[in-house]
Amino acid sequence: MRVGVLALQGDFREHALMLGGVGIEVALVRQSDDLSGIDGLIVPGGESTTIGKLAERFGLLEPLRAAIADGMPTLGTCAGMIFLAGSTTESRPQIQLGVLDVVVRRNAFGRQVSSFEADLEVAGLSGGPTHAVFIRAPWIDKLGAGVEVLAEVEGHPVMVRERNVVATSFHPELTGDGRIHTLVFSTVGEA
Ligand code: GLN
């Protein structure tokens, strides 16, 4: 299996390293041609407004929507979760793919605890909780009917799945624990 990492902005290198670490081949995605020949996709963390603007500028919005709608196993982390979602709670619209039926709240954990780490129980993850790093992280405010919650912090969804799309508020690429990447790309494709 070969997984593409959207490499416009943010921590795509860390995702690429993590994929390599769990034995998955990596391709960097910067233009629509890069989507051919991949079996899965990661949208990294970073700044979601910037990722959206660059994806539009490089003509990637429709090709990404089509590939994901077509069933490509996809993982979005932090800003990637925001970019995949349908909308945010903010009044100012931003460019989003709308392939995950949720409303996200950006920077949801507030100023005091804007970045933190927690041991997180994830549904379907064997081997115990994962150590999760949250950096100016979003949470999910509203869930569409087909969206399953896989992990929560204080009652707020921080990991969800809708068909072939999984999104996390945290950064599984930063902790050396490759189980989330393995989980997404070994099981989501079968959904
Ligand atoms: N706060 C960023 C945003 O709103 C996300 C931060 C991250 O990806 N670590 O896009």
Side-chain angles (χ1 to χ4, degrees):
M1 163 168 246
R2 181 192 241 209
V3 169
V5 184
L6 189 64
L8 301 174
Q9 191 268 338
D11 73 336
F12 54 87
R13 288 177 202 86
E14 286 76 2
H15 275 290
L17 284 171
M18 178 57 85
L19 287 171
V22 298
I24 296 174
E25 215 186 305
V26 184
L28 296 185
V29 173
R30 294 203 165 98
Q31 49 187 24
S32 57
D33 285 356
D34 299 334
L35 292 169
S36 56
I38 60 171
D39 315 297
L41 178 73
I42 291 178
V43 184
E47 190 55 45
S48 58
T49 51
T50 306
I51 293 173
K53 284 180 193 160
L54 291 172
E56 181 179 54
R57 188 175 310 160
F58 293 120
L60 274 164
L61 293 176
E62 286 316 317
L64 285 170
R65 286 181 182 125
I68 298 166
D70 207 37
M72 181 174 291
T74 299
L75 169 64
T77 61
C78 203
M81 169 193 267
I82 300 166
F83 182 53
L84 292 172
S87 59
T88 75
T89 55
E90 289 177 27
S91 50
R92 204 163 191 240
Q94 66 181 80
I95 298 167
Q96 292 174 282
L97 290 178
V99 294
L100 176 63
D101 186 14
V102 297
V103 179
V104 288
R105 181 173 297 272
R106 294 178 65 193
N107 305 312
F109 291 93
R111 279 165 178 267
Q112 295 302 322
V113 288
S114 61
S115 300
F116 62 99
E117 302 184 14
D119 287 323
L120 200 64
E121 206 69 64
V122 172
L125 193 70
S126 52
T130 186
H131 191 68
V133 176
F134 294 82
I135 304 169
R136 294 186 303 111
W139 72 45
I140 286 175
D141 244 48
K142 282 191 195 130
L143 295 159
V147 183
E148 181 192 349
V149 176
L150 302 180
E152 295 182 335
V153 170
E154 290 161 13
H156 302 289
V158 294
M159 180 169 179
V160 295
R161 166 181 180 156
E162 184 180 21
R163 295 189 304 272
N164 53 309
V165 178
V166 173
T168 67
S169 297
F170 53 96
H171 289 271
E173 71 284 11
L174 295 183
T175 50
D177 180 352
R179 287 180 296 154
I180 302 272
H181 289 71
T182 303
L183 180 76
V184 170
F185 295 110
S186 66
T187 61
V188 173
E190 296 152 18

